[in-house]
Amino acid sequence: MQGRSGTSGEDRISILPESLLCHILTFLTTKESIRTSVLSSRWRHLWLWVPILDLDKSDFSEDNTCLSFIDKFLNFQGESYLRGFRLNTDDNDHESNSSVDACLLRVVNKCKIQHLEIKSYFGFCYLEMPLVLSLCDTLVSLKLTFVIMSDYDQSCSLPCLKTLHLEKVVFPSEEAAEALISTSPVLKDLKMSQSRYDSLQILRVSSKSLKSFTLERADPGRVENSLDTVVMDTPSLECLNLIDYQYTSFEIVSMSETVKYDIDAVLSITCNFLTFVSHARDMTISRRTLEFIYYHLEINRRSKFHGLARLRATMFLNSSPEMLPVILEACPNLKHLTLELVHDFLVTEGTSRLLSLLPPSLISSLESVEIESPITDKATELELVRYFLENSTALKKIVLRLNHSCRKKHKPGLLKQLFESPRCSGLCQFVTL
């Protein structure tokens, strides 16, 4: 072992307290933990005291063998000791799904399980969820991947559930999806990625306790997805992350004005989502979301993001130069701006007109600017920095992160000239990385 010292031969890892060694083993699968039993006599039975059972059904020749292993494990350590159960399965036939239910019931019937994770990596696994969840009143974390859920009994409750991650989970109905969320009164973190086989058209997220919500389209290659409408009733929400989705309607029943938005989504021009986002204070947007907001602002120039203080955005450096001034004009109280500039390889001729389109009156509120950019032939990224230096009256710091992967270099003296250029704010610090 690498933990042995060169002089005394002392095994520094093995002298750690058993509680710490067992915690280290929780980061391994049960199969990997068992392999540590050959290290020394002290490690021989240590894996049996790990409070998490992490199994892969493919490691067992028969289903009964898996069940027998679970029984022996529980009988050795005591039924109340186990706190987490992870099960990976690669079978999707009905008989194998029954054995998955049997494994789950064997554990949840005997133990106060707090963390439950089921993952099927070859086809879908069908679970009798009401039967399982009705026994999990101590469940704190539930993570399901490639699972088809049977109908959810709304009388069931998960009073301790704080984390719910559902990846490519197929719900039997919209009511079942809504009930699973609403019957978890202390839920904090919800992540959902819809399967192409899911027929949900309306997703209602109603939770007074929810702090973080991520909604992702699991099959981004598909042009369309069945989910059309999202209804949010989450008054305590702090973070909203939308990834690769298309919406026709996004209805906000209640939501805190301090929510941090991270949006990489295509929204319908009729979507009312921007009405609420106009009150956002902290927002991260992808290039395509930036384009959507720009086109929306072009239609309605009166739209403003009056509350927006921090914006992170990705945009093309060498095309669509008109976007940045329109966005900045719509953010009159912006204080912190982070721009990730990328190259549009579909544009092979011409140069950006970005600098000629940026009037100085747009950025009087800015206090910090961070720009990440490749080195360009026209040094447009340097001119953009110069623009902020010369026109930002309240600017305290501007950081330029140059991507050197393209192996291009600026002409000699350009960066030095930029450092020596006049600054509108005498307190402004300029840093290059």
Side-chain angles (χ1 to χ4, degrees), residues 62-322:
E62 297 179 359
D63 294 334
N64 287 335
T65 308
C66 182
L67 290 172
S68 177
F69 178 86
I70 293 174
D71 286 335
K72 291 180 179 178
F73 183 88
L74 296 178
N75 291 335
F76 179 86
Q77 64 169 203
E79 297 173 357
S80 63
Y81 195 79
L82 193 66
R83 289 293 177 264
F85 182 55
R86 304 188 191 109
L87 181 65
N88 292 336
T89 177
D90 59 356
D91 300 316
N92 62 350
D93 59 90
H94 179 73
E95 183 176 345
S96 295
N97 288 331
S98 298
S99 69
V100 172
D101 280 332
C103 290
L104 289 177
L105 290 176
R106 195 66 57 95
V107 172
V108 299
N109 266 324
K110 294 184 177 182
C111 307
K112 299 293 185 180
I113 292 295
Q114 295 179 353
H115 307 280
L116 177 60
E117 184 172 348
I118 308 297
K119 180 182 293 185
S120 176
Y121 48 88
F122 184 77
F124 281 89
C125 169
Y126 184 86
L127 292 180
E128 292 288 345
M129 294 306 295
L131 185 60
V132 174
L133 297 181
S134 64
L135 301 172
C136 293
D137 57 350
T138 58
L139 202 60
V140 175
S141 172
L142 175 62
K143 299 180 181 181
L144 304 176
T145 302
F146 270 115
V147 169
I148 298 177
M149 294 181 61
S150 60
D151 203 8
Y152 183 72
D153 185 356
Q154 297 189 31
S155 64
C156 294
S157 177
L158 297 172
C160 300
L161 189 68
K162 294 182 178 180
T163 300
L164 179 59
H165 292 180
L166 306 172
E167 182 178 352
K168 297 184 179 179
V169 172
V170 177
F171 291 95
S173 65
E174 295 167 358
E175 292 75 17
E178 181 181 5
L180 180 60
I181 299 169
S182 61
T183 56
S184 304
V186 296
L187 186 63
K188 303 294 184 184
D189 177 26
L190 174 61
K191 293 183 180 180
M192 300 180 68
S193 61
Q194 188 190 23
S195 165
R196 68 171 63 189
Y197 303 105
D198 202 342
S199 59
L200 290 184
Q201 293 184 329
I202 300 177
L203 175 63
R204 294 180 176 87
V205 181
S206 178
S207 173
K208 294 181 179 180
S209 59
L210 192 64
K211 300 293 185 181
S212 176
F213 178 43
T214 298
L215 183 58
E216 179 179 4
R217 181 168 60 170
D219 301 296
R222 297 189 70 198
V223 177
E224 299 178 351
N225 51 270
S226 62
L227 185 58
D228 181 75
T229 300
V230 181
V231 181
M232 300 283 297
D233 186 2
T234 51
S236 301
L237 196 69
E238 297 176 354
C239 299
L240 176 61
N241 189 3
L242 305 179
I243 305 173
D244 202 32
Y245 246 104
Q246 297 174 329
Y247 309 99
T248 300
S249 176
F250 205 106
E251 181 181 345
I252 307 296
V253 177
S254 65
M255 191 181 294
S256 170
E257 292 187 357
T258 60
V259 172
K260 293 182 179 181
Y261 297 87
D262 191 341
I263 309 173
D264 178 16
V266 178
L267 306 169
S268 168
I269 198 64
T270 61
C271 181
N272 58 354
F273 180 71
L274 281 184
T275 303
F276 186 83
V277 174
S278 62
H279 301 289
R281 299 179 186 178
D282 188 314
M283 187 160 58
T284 300
I285 54 178
S286 67
R287 177 188 55 78
R288 57 181 177 175
T289 305
L290 179 72
E291 292 174 355
F292 167 78
I293 294 176
Y294 163 73
Y295 291 125
H296 172 83
L297 294 173
E298 280 288 273
I299 296 173
N300 186 1
R301 284 291 184 135
R302 294 183 179 181
S303 296
K304 300 289 182 182
F305 297 91
H306 288 286
L308 192 62
R310 187 179 298 272
L311 175 65
R312 306 168 195 84
T314 302
M315 64 174 290
F316 281 136
L317 179 64
N318 59 326
S319 64
S320 305
E322 66 279 359

Side-chain angles (χ1 to χ4, degrees), residues 406-420:
C406 59
R407 297 184 180 181
K408 291 182 179 180
K409 294 184 178 180
H410 290 122
K411 293 180 180 180
L414 277 182
L415 273 176
K416 182 180 179 181
Q417 293 176 16
L418 187 59
F419 273 100
E420 296 174 351

Side-chain angles (χ1 to χ4, degrees), residues 280-285 290 304-313 324-339 361-370 388 392-395:
R281 299 179 186 178
D282 188 314
M283 187 160 58
T284 300
I285 54 178
L290 179 72
K304 300 289 182 182
F305 297 91
H306 288 286
L308 192 62
R310 187 179 298 272
L311 175 65
R312 306 168 195 84
L324 185 57
V326 172
I327 297 295
L328 290 178
E329 185 179 12
C331 306
N333 299 308
L334 189 65
K335 294 184 180 297
H336 308 282
L337 175 65
T338 300
L339 291 175
S361 60
L362 295 182
I363 54 174
S364 59
S365 62
L366 275 178
E367 295 180 1
S368 69
V369 175
E370 183 170 336
F388 284 114
S392 303
T393 57
L395 195 63

